[in-house]
Amino acid sequence: MSSGVINRYKDFLPVSEKTPIITLNEGDTPLIPAPYLSRFIGIDVFLKYEGLNPTGSFKDRGMTLAVSKAVEDGYKAVICASTGNTSASAAAYAVRAKIKSVVVIPEGAIALGKLAQALIHNAQVIAIKGNFDAALNIVKEITKKYPLALVNSLNPYRIEGQKTAAFEICDALGRAPTYQAIPVGNAGNITAYWKGYKEYKAKGRIKDLPRMLGFQAEGAAPIVKGYPIKGPETIATAIRIGNPASWKGAEQARDESGGLIESVSDEQILAAYKLLAEKEGVFVEPASAASVAGVIKLSKRGYFTRNPQPATRNPQLVCILTGHGLKDPDRAIQSIEKPKVVKANVEAVIREIKVARSG
Ligand SMILES: *Cc1c(COP(=O)(O)O)cnc(C)c1O
């Protein structure tokens, strides 16, 4: 079977015989059952682990299409503003396409792993003394005048590629989930998933649509508040965005699906981040944990029991885990105890071992 989201979902994507397929075999990520969360929340919970894409985030699904179309259209370089993962992905796919990449990032606000990726793939990285929203305005202006392909999620091909994750979830479950929880930053991804579910329904692949549950960080929650945030702040750098490009798409997903978009605090995000690692064995970056923080918050106020589904269906909840934990190693190290150093002998080591001994 051919690999990569373009090959697998060609019929749903704006490609033709003429489109060169620039791929790193992205997509086909696992939908992992979450027994701890299922017990905690009281319905079946699954984790869509998008951190297992080639560059460690879901951005690859959109980037394969955006870069393929840029090459088809004759571009020799791509440009993006980025909180990190878009630049890592753009840089890698540009290498595959043998074109150049330029990334504009907010100075000092990018997780270490992501910066390393852009640099090792030879992207030209330009840091600005400003935030993501300022970086996005700059690259938008530049691409109006210069022959660089914009590969932020304003690029409709990004959304088209990203919707394939919704197809995969439906293919795996044999139906759409009852609920889907997702972090919201620039809001391209929630827009993409909703588009994917609607298209699968239109083609008769699924009967029902999920309720879309979006979560922003409290200090970067423009959609929840209803106005752009000037200085967005959160430890979840991938969703530190004050004026989302796909604002309308997110509201549409929320309203058409009967879902919601709410905010979660950094404390709630970090608690969910640790819970995923300690209870489910899944390591994600902080922004990804916003989806789980959100469903824990909703479950505590009885949301999932107050919204009963038809008795014939046991409700299912899918949490989108957008990026890999290794993207942001600093955060992991800050949130745990440092390893203790002891003498190099059995007695010294055994004295420290806390696991109960069984006969
Ligand atoms: C980009 C990104 C997000 C936010 O997605 P949007 O489409 O901007 O809403 C969330 N988590 C991670 C890890 C990301 O890289």
Side-chain angles (χ1 to χ4, degrees):
M1 189 180 167
S2 44
S3 292
V5 299
I6 299 178
N7 284 316
R8 294 200 355 268
Y9 294 108
K10 235 182 208 135
D11 296 348
F12 290 87
L13 297 172
V15 291
S16 70
E17 296 296 297
K18 285 192 310 233
T19 314
I21 298 178
I22 310 298
T23 180
L24 286 163
N25 294 2
E26 60 294 316
D28 202 13
T29 55
L31 190 65
I32 308 172
Y36 182 89
L37 280 166
S38 298
R39 219 171 308 126
F40 186 86
I41 292 170
I43 62 177
D44 287 340
V45 181
F46 297 86
L47 308 170
K48 181 66 171 163
Y49 195 15
E50 288 289 281
L52 294 189
N53 276 294
T55 77
S57 85
F58 74 83
K59 299 296 199 295
D60 295 342
R61 292 179 184 276
M63 205 56 73
T64 180
L65 193 62
V67 171
S68 295
K69 295 302 282 190
V71 172
E72 181 179 352
D73 294 341
Y75 283 98
K76 297 283 184 281
V78 296
I79 187 169
C80 63
S82 182
T83 60
N85 283 330
T86 298
S87 61
S89 186
Y93 282 82
V95 166
R96 296 297 289 195
K98 303 194 191 70
I99 61 175
K100 297 233 175 306
S101 61
V102 181
V103 309
V104 181
I105 58 170
E107 183 194 21
I110 302 288
L112 195 64
K114 306 176 188 181
L115 183 59
Q117 288 178 286
L119 293 170
I120 200 76
H121 291 306
N122 270 333
Q124 189 180 347
V125 179
I126 302 162
I128 60 160
K129 294 184 192 305
N131 61 23
F132 171 82
D133 301 287
L136 185 58
N137 284 332
I138 290 168
V139 300
K140 267 165 44 184
E141 284 305 309
I142 289 174
T143 52
K144 277 185 202 154
K145 297 187 196 117
Y146 299 90
L148 292 151
L150 180 69
V151 294
N152 280 103
S153 56
L154 286 165
N155 179 329
Y157 298 127
R158 281 276 312 278
I159 307 283
E160 289 295 315
Q162 284 170 210
K163 77 187 179 191
T164 60
F167 300 162
E168 288 179 14
I169 291 170
C170 297
D171 291 346
L173 295 176
R175 69 189 204 199
T178 322
Y179 306 97
Q180 185 199 291
I182 184 168
V184 176
N186 217 18
N189 214 24
I190 188 171
T191 303
Y193 273 92
W194 185 237
K195 189 167 195 292
Y197 287 121
K198 285 196 296 186
E199 288 182 11
Y200 243 31
K201 181 160 189 253
K203 280 262 158 65
R205 304 276 183 107
I206 52 172
K207 286 209 289 290
D208 304 294
L209 293 167
R211 283 182 202 267
M212 301 293 284
L213 313 174
F215 298 99
Q216 301 197 292
E218 221 163 69
I223 299 173
V224 179
K225 298 216 164 108
Y227 52 85
I229 306 296
K230 271 264 152 53
E233 267 313 328
T234 167
I235 51 107
T237 50
I239 53 172
R240 189 191 279 163
I241 292 173
N243 192 10
S246 299
W247 192 315
K248 290 243 162 61
E251 288 183 336
Q252 199 185 341
R254 175 193 67 195
D255 299 340
E256 289 180 2
S257 75
L260 52 78
I261 297 179
E262 295 197 2
S263 63
V264 284
S265 68
D266 278 4
E267 291 69 35
Q268 289 169 326
I269 290 173
L270 283 176
Y273 168 76
K274 291 196 78 182
L275 182 149
L276 281 166
E278 292 171 358
K279 304 293 187 193
E280 304 289 9
V282 178
F283 186 27
V284 300
E285 68 170 279
S288 307
S291 56
V292 172
V295 301
I296 290 173
K297 180 180 161 184
L298 295 188
S299 110
K300 283 182 176 160
R301 67 167 197 250
Y303 175 86
F304 297 105
T305 43
R306 272 193 291 102
N307 279 294
Q309 297 301 313
T312 47
R313 292 185 67 178
N314 35 327
Q316 291 171 324
L317 162 64
V318 171
C319 296
I320 310 302
L321 303 181
T322 46
H324 203 287
L326 290 172
K327 293 272 189 178
D328 193 353
D330 296 329
R331 175 59 55 192
I333 299 215
Q334 280 165 30
S335 38
I336 47 182
E337 253 178 79
K338 297 262 177 330
K340 190 166 177 183
V341 180
V342 298
K343 288 216 177 90
N345 59 55
V346 171
E347 293 72 36
V349 173
I350 207 80
R351 215 177 295 130
E352 297 300 325
I353 293 177
K354 295 185 187 108
V355 181
R357 248 185 281 177
S358 58

